[in-house]
């Protein structure tokens, strides 16, 4: 079934963390933030997990580049993001994808602030089906902006076509600090998702690596 072309983007420290143990995720240098905002302006929708909305309260808009704000998509099985979250403000349309576990009152509160709530999936959000629905709504290019759990869910289901990682020249350590990809993980290295390196470039003080997962269906 047709689905949008999915670009996963993240800023990571050299030791693979996308936030510190204290939850600080401001990893990108200023030039990399400019790049991210340009990238946002080039896609139809930006997608994040509920964990990221709760941790960072991002607005997911285009502020450091020219272009329009993309649609926002929040993956939130139980509708736990607060209606006052910045990603639900009126700067662009927001879709909240929930599962059947979401309570009706919480769904109503999200609808009251203008979000479109789509129920896809029973115990968790069915990401493949959601992408199909987004495609039907005209989304052709989608930017996945994390976090760790959603990155795993998308990658392990073969739903990512391109990966762009800005590596910051810092090491923050911390066993509890979130890494680029969390989730269940693979047992053996040779089960891991094989990537093809497409580009290496410098963005300010960061190193930008672009990969394509082998077996990407787009
Ligand atoms: N440096 C960067 O580039 C960057 C970018 C983004 C985020 N971050 C960091 O990443 C951290 C957040 O990551 P996180 O792992 O806690 O949360 P997350 O990946 O943003 O959100 C995960 C949540 O999404 C919901 N979900 C619903 N259906 C799902 C499905 N099919 N698959 C996966 N998730 C599903 C789950 O909540 P329910 O069970 O309630 O549905 C799950 O707990 C924060 O510290 C943030 O700062 C860093």
């Amino acid at each position: 079934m047709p689905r949008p072309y999915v670009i996963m983007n993240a800023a990571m420290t050299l030791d693979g963390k996308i936030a510190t143990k204290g939850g600080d995720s401001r990893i990108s240098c200023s030039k990399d933030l400019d790049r991210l905002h340009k990238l946002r302006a080039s896609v139809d929708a930006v997608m994040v997990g509920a964990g990221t909305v709760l941790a960072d309260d991002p607005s997911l808009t285009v502020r450091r580049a020219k272009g329009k704000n993309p649609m926002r998509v929040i993956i939130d099985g139980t509708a736990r993001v607060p209606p006052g979250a910045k990603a639900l403000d009126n700067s662009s349309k927001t879709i909240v994808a929930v599962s059947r576990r979401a309570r009706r009152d919480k769904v109503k509160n999200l609808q009251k602030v203008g979000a479109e709530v789509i129920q896809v999936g029973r115990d968790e959000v069915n990401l493949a089906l959601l992408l199909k629905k987004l495609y039907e709504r005209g989304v052709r290019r989608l930017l996945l902006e994390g976090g760790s759990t959603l990155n795993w869910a998308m990658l392990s289901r073969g739903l990512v076509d391109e990966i762009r990682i800005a590596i910051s020249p810092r090491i923050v350590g911390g066993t509890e600090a979130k890494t680029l990809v969390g989730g269940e993980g693979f047992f053996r290295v040779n089960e891991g998702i094989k990537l093809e390196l497409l580009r290496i470039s410098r963005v300010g003080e960061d190193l930008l690596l672009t990969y394509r997962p082998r077996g990407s269906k787009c």
Side-chain angles (χ1 to χ4, degrees), residues 9 22 25 46 52 62 93 99 108 113 117 121 128 144 149-150 152 176 181 197 203 217:
N9 183 83
S25 63
V46 177
T52 296
V62 178
K93 178 186 170 73
S99 71
K108 279 212 171 118
V113 294
V117 180
L144 167 63
T149 309
L150 183 61
W152 163 261
E176 302 302 317
V181 183
L197 179 63
V203 179
K217 289 177 189 73

Side-chain angles (χ1 to χ4, degrees), residues 4 6-9 40 43-50 52-53 58 60 70-76 87 94-95 97 125-128 130-131 134 139 141-147 150-151 153-155 159-160:
V6 177
I7 303 167
M8 171 182 145
N9 183 83
R40 277 184 190 160
V43 296
D44 303 305
V46 177
M47 183 165 106
V48 292
T52 296
V53 174
L60 304 171
M71 178 201 286
R72 299 168 292 197
V73 181
I74 303 173
I75 310 303
D76 184 13
T94 303
I95 290 180
V125 174
N126 181 331
L127 295 167
L130 172 67
L131 289 187
L134 292 175
V139 176
R141 262 168 76 84
L142 180 134
L143 175 61
L144 167 63
E145 283 200 44
L150 183 61
N151 287 346
M154 290 286 288
L155 281 165
L159 299 175
V160 175

Side-chain angles (χ1 to χ4, degrees), residues 2-76:
R3 63 162 176 83
Y5 183 83
V6 177
I7 303 167
M8 171 182 145
N9 183 83
M12 180 181 91
T13 60
L14 183 62
D15 52 336
K17 312 295 187 187
I18 57 167
T20 65
K21 65 177 182 181
D24 186 0
S25 63
R26 291 164 301 171
I27 292 170
S28 288
C29 69
S30 150
K31 286 238 166 74
D32 190 54
L33 286 176
D34 294 344
R35 179 193 63 84
L36 171 64
H37 282 239
K38 230 184 245 174
L39 180 57
R40 277 184 190 160
S42 78
V43 296
D44 303 305
V46 177
M47 183 165 106
V48 292
T52 296
V53 174
L54 291 170
D56 298 346
D57 195 17
S59 58
L60 304 171
T61 54
V62 178
R63 303 180 303 280
R64 301 174 68 109
K66 282 198 183 125
K68 65 177 179 48
N69 294 327
M71 178 201 286
R72 299 168 292 197
V73 181
I74 303 173
I75 310 303
D76 184 13

